[in-house]
């Protein structure tokens, strides 16, 4: 313990928010740029004969660097499960993941020597580029969408959103009791349909072309004009409930759309990363197999 | 008769709430209508859905027209339930359970329960429902699937193809799976091996060895004695040692064919090895091999010895002594001829006059005597009959319009012919009228007139004529070195004539490739007064157009343009390949005359 030193009050990391992109004054951006610059200079200045390729010593060096980077970048999947602070904080790790991942565009492309073909080597390169592109989408999504996602909740939690729909469903159940069999079938269809029905495309677009609630509204609303008596009142109540349900569903779907847009890239990024590692293994083994 | 209804519902915590009701009578009406005996609040239930009626020991189930119920798990429009065994009726989400009852019993217990699936779950899994997980296959499964797919196609399939290949002996004409490992198309020379990876990659995990190349390339040599080659290698620097260490670590022995000849660079002709493969050793060869007779050479533009053509240095009897000599030493050629190029190429004077008379143009040109070989690379040897005799004719007699000529190249025959011509003649002619006196070359007819005149004037003696033809001013003496006979003899001899068939034996020069240039732009024939002038141009002349590998001169020239690593004779492989494929570069230089024209 040093004596005589005055303990200082340091502002911890929590004092102000600094995103992973700006982490430590763009430290990893600078490191990644340095890597790209070094690789670019090596490519330009070293005259490889007969032409630059992955098989020259520059090519092998860049390839080894790129492989190590890819394996390290994959480790984020393990690392993210342990959230820590400090020098090797998860935030720093993520920052490095983003910038070193982007630097692979330069390093791996120079490794190829711009020689592409229908072979396992270009497959590995293409998969890597797809992983990086999906990652770029992820960065953009993470910087734009979360704000819209919070806004789309309208001060509600997700279970509350579902609950709102379920309450309306119960009210519809009661309100539709006086209706005839055909009309109840229409309302039942709306009640039976899960708000989460629909596949990936439907979620990403936020549209549901055959929404039963919309269909019920489209069928029942025109009948309001002709409806009289107690049946008419019941129909009026049901249509009002259906309209409220449609609004609640729209909120859920907007939320689902944003959430899907925020998450979908990981379904490309993660599986393709493993495909990339497999292709990388095939690429390296094939080079040595036919050495 | 009584139906005892037990309606079971569940609280939010899952606790059962049972309400009981009694329905008096034999008939139980089930429906959504409020006046039903069993009131089911499910929109899938009709207002008057079904009626259950007791008939003795069983219950009859009647369903409204067009609707169904599930009776004991079977969908039906009507049916019966044995009281003794009991039964279930499922209407939409409601289950009516008729308990087993003795036939004589008055009371039938019925449990009514709503089967609620999904609703409770919805709330708990709400967070998960909002994620993509329910609509997407799992990331982990996708990752495994894709990785296995890629490994299967990219690794297992080609390895299988490799081992299958080992079982077969015939050539492969179709796509083989291991071709997806090919990093690039093979060069045009090796295109036939495209489907046959094992032709070069003989063993897995062993780099391509020279034996694979030598299996087809049987007629090339390895440049030089391997020991001298090894000694000539430059010392490795630190970087070179690092590279060597890597190569050894990865089982890449140095000095293989593929060190210079790189494959898989695309569907093109194989690039000639770059200059540094040569200059590594030849740049400073003297330091490594002090006994070499080769000069150091690193780049044609900067470091290349002067040419050392083969010249006839002298004679041992009738055999020429050929010796290589640097052009810097200005060697002279003892070819046995007398021939002043300058005189023959002059624009004025007797030769030019003669050329005009013979229709060759304003003066003689190189091509009037030097004709190219069919391949255009070199020139046919100059022959007296073909290239000189149009002017230097050897006619000496005319018999009935047929001209007799002395036989070139056979002095004994010349002597015999002249003796025969003068046989029977007595008076010697005055020397001034001798037909064999020295004269400028003329047409055959003037020669004949002079012969006829001299015959009219008086027959000369054969001996004098023979002596005249071999003496200064005589026809033979004009061009040849004549060896006089011993006194009293007429056995004149002509010194033999010899030229090397190829002056520069270790470098390739193609005259056709230089067709845009005039002959005299390289060969200083116009100033040559003697046949012993060696008109081979020196390296400085070549360097006016040719530079080294990287040069500002019009023609960048690597070693491979003139020399071949594996061959001593003929054109370098690089030029042959260019020529065969019609990729010969069109001469970039424009002749001076054409350049001036509009």
């Amino acid at each position: 313990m040093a004596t005589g030193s005055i303990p200082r009050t340091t502002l911890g990391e929590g004092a102000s928010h600094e995103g992973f992109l700006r982490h430590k004054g763009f430290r990893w951006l600078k490191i990644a740029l340095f890597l790209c610059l070094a690789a670019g200079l090596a490519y330009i200045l070293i005259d490889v004969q007969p032409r630059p390729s992955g098989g020259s010593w520059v090519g092998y060096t860049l390839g080894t660097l790129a492989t190590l980077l890819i394996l390290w970048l994959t480790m984020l999947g393990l690392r993210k499960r342990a959230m820590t602070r400090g020098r090797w904080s998860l935030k720093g790790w993520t920052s490095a993941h983003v910038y070193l991942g982007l630097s692979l565009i330069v390093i791996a492309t120079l490794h190829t020597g711009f020689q592409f073909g229908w072979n396992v080597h270009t497959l590995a390169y293409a998969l890597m580029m797809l992983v990086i592109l999906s990652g770029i989408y992820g960065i953009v999504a993470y910087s734009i969408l979360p704000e819209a996602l919070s806004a789309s909740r309208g001060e509600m939690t997700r279970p509350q959103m579902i609950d709102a729909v379920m309450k309306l469903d119960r009210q519809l159940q009661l309100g539709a009791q006086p209706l005839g069999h055909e009309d109840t079938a229409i309302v039942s269809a709306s009640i039976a349909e899960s708000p989460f029905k629909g596949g990936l495309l439907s979620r990403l677009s936020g549209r549901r072309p055959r929404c039963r609630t919309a269909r019920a509204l489209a069928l029942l609303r025109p009948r309001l004009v002709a409806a009289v008596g107690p049946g008419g009142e019941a129909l009026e109540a049901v249509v009002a409930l259906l309209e409220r349900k449609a609004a609640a569903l729209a909120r859920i779907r907007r939320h689902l759309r944003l959430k899907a847009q925020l998450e979908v890239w990981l379904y490309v990024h993660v599986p393709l990363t493993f495909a990339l590692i497999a292709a990388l293994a095939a690429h390296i083994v094939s080079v040595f197999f036919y050495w | 008769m009584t139906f005892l209804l037990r309606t079971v519902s569940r609280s939010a915590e899952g606790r059962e709430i049972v309400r009981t009701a009694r329905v008096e009578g034999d008939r139980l009406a089930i429906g959504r209508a409020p006046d039903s005996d069993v009131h089911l609040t499910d929109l899938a239930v009709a207002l008057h859905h079904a009626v259950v009626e007791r008939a003795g020991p069983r219950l009859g189930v009647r369903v409204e027209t067009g609707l169904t119920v599930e009776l004991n798990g079977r969908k039906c429009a009507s049916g019966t339930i044995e009281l003794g065994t009991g039964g279930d009726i499922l209407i939409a989400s409601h289950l009516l359970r008729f308990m087993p009852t003795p036939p004589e019993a008055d009371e039938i217990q019925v449990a009514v329960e709503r089967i609620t699936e999904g609703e409770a779950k919805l709330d708990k899994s709400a967070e998960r429902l909002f994620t993509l997980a329910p609509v997407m296959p799992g990331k982990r499964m996708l990752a495994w699937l894709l990785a296995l797919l890629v490994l299967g196609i990219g690794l297992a399939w080609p390895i299988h193809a490799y081992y299958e290949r080992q079982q077969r002996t015939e050539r492969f004409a179709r796509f083989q799976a291991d071709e997806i490992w090919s990093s690039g198309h093979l060069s045009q020379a090796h295109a036939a091996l495209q489907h046959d990876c094992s032709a070069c990659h003989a063993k897995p995990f062993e780099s391509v060895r020279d034996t694979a190349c030598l299996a087809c390339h049987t007629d090339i040599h390895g440049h030089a004695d391997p020991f001298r080659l090894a000694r000539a290698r430059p010392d490795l620097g630190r970087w070179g040692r690092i590279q060597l260490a890597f190569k050894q670590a990865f089982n890449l022995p140095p000095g293989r064919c593929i060190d210079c000849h790189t494959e898989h660079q695309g569907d093109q002709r194989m690039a000639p090895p770059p200059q540094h493969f040569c200059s590594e050793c030849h740049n400073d060869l003297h330091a490594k091999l002090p006994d070499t007779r080769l000069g150091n050479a690193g780049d044609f533009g900067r470091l290349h010895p002067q040419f050392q053509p083969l010249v006839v240095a002298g004679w041992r009897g009738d055999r020429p002594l050929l010796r290589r000599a640097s052009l810097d030493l200005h060697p002279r050629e003892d070819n046995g001829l007398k021939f002043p190029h300058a005189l023959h190429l002059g624009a004025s004077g007797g030769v030019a006059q003669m050329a005009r008379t013979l229709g060759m143009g304003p003066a003689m040109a190189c091509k009037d005597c030097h004709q190219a070989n069919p391949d255009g690379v070199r020139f046919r040897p100059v022959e007296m009959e073909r290239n000189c005799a149009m002017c230097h004719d050897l006619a000496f007699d005319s018999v009935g319009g047929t001209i007799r000529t002395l036989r070139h190249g056979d002095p004994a025959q010349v002597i015999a012919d002249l003796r025969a011509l003068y046989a029977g003649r007595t008076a010697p002619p005055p020397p001034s009228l001798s037909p064999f006196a020295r004269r400028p070359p003329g047409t055959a007819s003037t020669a004949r007139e002079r012969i006829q005149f001299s015959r009219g004037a008086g027959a000369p003696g054969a001996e004098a004529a023979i002596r005249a033809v071999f003496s200064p001013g005589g026809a033979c003496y004009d061009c040849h070195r004549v060896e006089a006979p011993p006194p009293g003899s007429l056995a004149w001899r002509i010194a033999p004539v010899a030229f090397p068939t190829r002056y520069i034996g270790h470098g390739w020069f193609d005259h056709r490739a230089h067709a845009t240039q005039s002959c005299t732009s390289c060969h200083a024939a116009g100033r040559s007064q003697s046949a012993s002038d060696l008109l081979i141009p020196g390296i400085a002349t070549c360097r006016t157009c040719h530079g080294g590998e990287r040069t500002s001169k019009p023609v960048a020239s690597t070693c491979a343009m003139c020399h071949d690593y594996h061959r001593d004779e003929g054109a370098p492989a690089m030029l042959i390949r260019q020529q065969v494929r019609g990729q010969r570069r069109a001469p970039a230089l424009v002749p001076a005359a054409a350049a001036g024209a509009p």
Side-chain angles (χ1 to χ4, degrees):
Chain A
M1 198 63 198
T3 53
S5 64
I6 303 163
R8 295 182 187 186
T9 309
T10 49
L11 283 174
E13 277 189 16
S16 65
H17 179 70
E18 184 190 54
F20 64 87
L21 293 177
R22 310 180 65 91
H23 175 74
K24 298 275 187 202
F26 295 104
R27 172 191 286 170
W28 288 103
L29 172 64
K30 289 169 193 162
I31 291 172
L33 280 177
F34 170 78
L35 274 179
C36 293
L37 199 69
L41 282 178
Y43 187 86
I44 292 166
L45 296 181
I46 296 168
D47 182 20
V48 174
Q49 293 295 343
R51 54 157 300 166
S53 76
S56 65
W57 74 263
V58 182
Y60 285 131
T61 308
L62 290 174
T64 308
L65 177 64
T67 306
L68 293 176
L69 274 176
I70 286 172
L71 292 179
W72 181 82
L73 292 167
T74 313
M75 298 291 285
L76 182 73
L78 297 175
R79 179 66 181 82
K80 71 173 182 187
R81 288 169 168 81
M83 216 178 273
T84 57
R85 299 163 69 99
R87 182 181 286 272
W88 295 104
S89 67
L90 182 57
K91 197 206 287 182
W93 194 288
T94 311
S95 183
H97 181 90
V98 166
Y99 289 119
L100 294 181
L102 287 173
S103 75
L104 267 181
I105 298 177
V106 174
I107 293 169
T109 305
L110 294 182
H111 165 64
T112 68
F114 299 96
Q115 286 181 311
F116 300 109
W118 297 103
N119 52 43
V120 74
H121 317 293
T122 304
L123 171 70
Y125 177 79
L127 285 172
M128 186 204 72
M129 291 307 279
L130 285 175
V131 170
I132 295 176
L133 282 178
S134 64
I136 292 173
Y137 171 89
I139 299 168
V140 174
Y142 276 14
S143 59
I144 293 175
L145 293 179
E147 205 176 332
L149 192 68
S150 319
S152 77
R153 298 159 78 118
E155 309 288 319
M156 286 171 91
T157 65
R158 292 185 189 120
Q160 278 171 342
M161 285 188 214
I162 302 175
D163 205 38
V165 174
M166 284 172 65
K167 273 182 186 147
L168 287 167
D169 277 347
R170 277 196 290 277
Q171 289 179 45
L172 274 172
Q173 184 95 25
L174 292 173
Q177 296 295 330
L179 298 189
H181 186 63
E182 279 173 25
D183 293 347
T184 54
I186 296 169
V187 177
S188 306
S190 163
I191 294 169
E193 192 181 47
S194 159
F196 299 97
K197 205 182 159 201
L200 175 68
L201 289 180
S202 151
R203 286 217 178 179
L204 283 174
S205 63
R207 277 201 294 271
R208 182 81 58 80
R210 274 173 298 185
C211 171
R212 299 301 164 101
T213 307
R215 182 166 156 270
L217 270 174
L219 289 172
L220 297 182
R221 201 186 271 135
R223 302 230 321 256
L224 281 178
V225 188
V228 285
E233 276 170 29
L235 190 64
E236 214 166 301
V238 166
V239 168
L241 284 170
L242 281 173
E243 268 166 1
R244 283 172 59 198
K245 184 182 173 186
L249 282 179
R251 179 162 53 227
I252 287 184
R253 281 176 197 154
R254 192 163 55 244
H255 196 76
L256 278 178
R257 174 171 62 84
L258 291 169
K259 196 102 168 71
Q261 288 172 352
L262 196 60
E263 284 179 4
V264 68
W265 67 279
L266 275 171
Y267 284 86
V268 179
H269 198 72
V270 173
L272 282 191
T273 296
F274 286 90
L276 161 63
I277 288 174
L280 205 57
H283 163 63
I284 294 168
V285 169
S286 73
V287 164
F288 285 104
F289 197 96
Y290 281 167
W291 191 208
Chain B
M1 291 292 152
T2 312
F3 287 99
L4 185 66
L5 295 180
R6 291 166 48 83
T7 309
V8 183
S9 56
R10 287 174 199 281
S11 73
E13 294 84 39
R15 192 162 46 81
E16 266 192 8
I17 303 168
V18 182
R19 276 168 297 169
T20 52
R22 295 176 73 88
V23 178
E24 302 294 337
D26 282 349
R27 198 168 169 280
L28 196 65
I30 306 164
R32 190 156 48 80
D35 56 348
S36 304
D37 299 323
V38 183
H39 181 203
L40 304 177
T41 56
D42 183 335
L43 292 178
V45 180
L47 288 170
H48 306 283
H49 201 106
V51 174
V52 176
E53 225 166 343
R54 184 167 180 173
R58 56 180 68 89
L59 296 169
V61 181
R62 209 154 32 77
V63 185
E64 188 155 322
T65 322
L67 303 173
T68 56
V69 295
E70 247 180 68
L71 181 60
N72 292 329
R74 206 159 47 78
K75 200 168 252 186
C76 58
S78 66
T80 54
I81 298 171
E82 292 295 332
L83 270 182
T85 54
D88 293 347
I89 297 177
L90 183 71
I91 303 175
S93 60
H94 287 83
L95 181 70
L96 281 73
R97 192 170 288 152
F98 290 84
M99 301 301 172
T101 314
E104 62 278 10
D106 189 47
E107 205 177 64
I108 301 169
Q109 287 199 17
V110 184
V112 182
E113 194 174 356
R114 183 155 191 206
I115 301 163
T116 51
E117 285 180 305
E119 270 184 39
K121 273 189 264 170
L122 198 68
D123 204 44
K124 287 176 190 163
S125 58
E127 286 292 340
R128 187 171 181 274
L129 277 172
F130 277 90
T131 66
L132 272 179
V135 296
M136 290 292 283
K139 289 191 206 99
R140 190 165 296 193
M141 191 186 71
L142 266 181
W144 275 108
L145 270 180
L146 283 173
L148 287 175
L149 186 73
V150 169
L151 281 178
I153 294 175
L155 202 56
W157 190 33
I159 289 177
H160 174 257
Y162 167 80
Y163 285 105
E164 191 154 85
R165 197 189 278 291
Q166 304 302 307
Q167 313 296 322
R168 293 168 56 177
T169 48
E170 73 267 35
R171 288 285 291 278
F172 292 86
R174 286 183 303 107
F175 170 81
Q176 302 293 310
D178 47 357
E179 281 173 58
I180 63 171
W181 283 351
S182 169
S183 61
H185 219 280
L186 289 177
S187 66
Q188 286 162 354
H190 293 144
L193 300 174
Q194 187 69 25
H195 303 300
D196 198 0
C197 305
S198 304
C200 305
H201 301 278
K203 279 190 198 165
F205 301 104
E206 185 186 276
S207 56
V208 175
R209 298 293 148 99
D210 289 354
T211 46
C213 310
L214 295 174
C216 299
H217 297 275
T218 51
D219 62 342
I220 53 160
H221 68 65
H223 191 58
D225 173 28
F227 293 105
R228 286 177 72 78
L229 266 182
R231 270 168 56 205
R233 303 282 313 162
D235 291 332
L236 289 177
R238 182 172 297 160
W239 176 236
R241 281 202 295 276
I242 293 172
Q243 279 189 312
L244 187 66
F246 266 98
K247 283 184 174 178
Q248 280 170 343
F250 286 96
N251 189 17
L252 292 172
R256 293 171 303 149
C257 302
I258 59 167
D259 284 358
C260 305
H261 303 286
T262 322
E263 254 302 351
H264 293 288
Q265 299 297 320
D267 183 15
Q268 57 196 4
R269 66 186 181 84
M270 211 172 193
Q275 180 168 293
H276 77 84
F277 284 109
C278 305
S279 63
E280 264 175 13
C281 297
H282 282 271
N283 226 347
D284 198 15
L285 195 64
H286 269 291
K288 289 282 174 187
L289 293 175
D291 60 333
T292 185
R293 280 178 295 161
L294 298 173
N296 287 341
D299 179 272
F300 186 74
R302 286 184 294 100
L303 180 64
H304 191 286
Q306 177 60 280
F307 301 144
Q308 297 173 42
L310 201 62
V311 291
V312 181
W315 294 84
R316 180 179 293 146
D318 282 355
R319 289 180 55 195
L321 296 175
L322 290 165
R323 198 163 292 146
R324 288 184 67 189
S326 166
L327 286 176
D328 286 341
L329 302 173
H330 304 291
R332 299 192 69 78
E333 193 174 43
D334 187 8
N335 50 39
L337 268 189
K338 299 168 187 162
F339 184 83
H341 270 97
L343 177 71
H344 284 78
L345 292 171
S348 57
V351 178
Q353 182 97 34
M354 187 80 177
R356 284 194 288 275
T357 314
L358 290 176
M360 290 175 180
M364 276 193 84
C366 305
K367 66 174 168 47
D368 293 330
C369 303
H370 296 283
Q371 276 131 25
N373 279 335
D375 62 4
V377 174
R378 286 190 279 272
F379 286 84
R380 299 161 78 175
V382 170
E383 282 176 19
M384 159 69 192
E385 289 80 359
R386 191 173 59 223
N387 304 114
C388 309
M390 68 277 215
C391 303
H392 297 273
D393 75 295
L394 296 177
F396 69 97
D397 193 13
S398 175
V399 177
T402 301
I403 296 159
R404 300 177 65 201
T405 53
L406 297 175
R407 185 172 299 180
H408 182 255
D410 194 348
Q413 186 74 39
V414 168
I415 291 166
D417 280 351
L418 288 175
R419 277 188 194 284
L421 178 67
Y422 288 98
R425 293 184 186 172
T426 49
S432 62
L433 288 179
S434 165
F436 309 106
R438 188 165 185 237
R439 54 177 166 75
T443 60
S445 61
T446 54
R448 268 198 308 281
E449 279 166 15
R450 289 173 68 97
I451 292 169
Q452 278 155 5
F453 168 76
S454 65
R455 278 185 185 167
E463 216 166 288
I466 291 166
R467 196 165 285 120
V469 82
F470 287 110
S471 299
C476 301
Y477 193 88
D478 270 359
C479 307
H480 287 283
R481 205 158 60 206
V482 178
E483 290 165 12
S489 163
L490 281 178
W492 295 84
R493 280 190 78 247
I494 302 288
V497 173
F499 292 93
T501 51
R502 202 174 150 191
Y503 282 94
I504 302 201
H506 293 290
W508 182 255
F509 183 86
D510 183 350
H511 277 96
R512 196 173 53 179
H514 296 80
T516 51
Q517 304 300 304
S518 72
C519 308
T520 49
S521 67
C522 298
H523 300 282
R527 297 194 302 274
S528 167
Q529 300 293 345
S530 161
S532 63
D533 291 342
L534 190 60
L535 298 183
I536 303 294
I539 193 168
T541 311
C542 300
R543 280 176 176 159
T544 52
C545 301
H546 289 269
E549 190 172 48
R550 284 173 193 182
T551 179
S552 55
K553 301 273 176 64
V555 188
S557 314
T558 64
C559 309
M561 189 171 260
C562 307
H563 302 285
D564 198 301
Y565 183 86
H566 295 293
R567 279 198 258 211
D568 295 324
E569 290 180 347
M574 176 186 111
L575 296 179
I576 294 173
R577 282 199 291 267
Q578 285 178 347
Q579 206 146 356
V580 167
R581 305 209 168 83
Q583 289 164 341
R584 190 66 179 261
R585 165 165 102 136
L589 302 177
V590 181

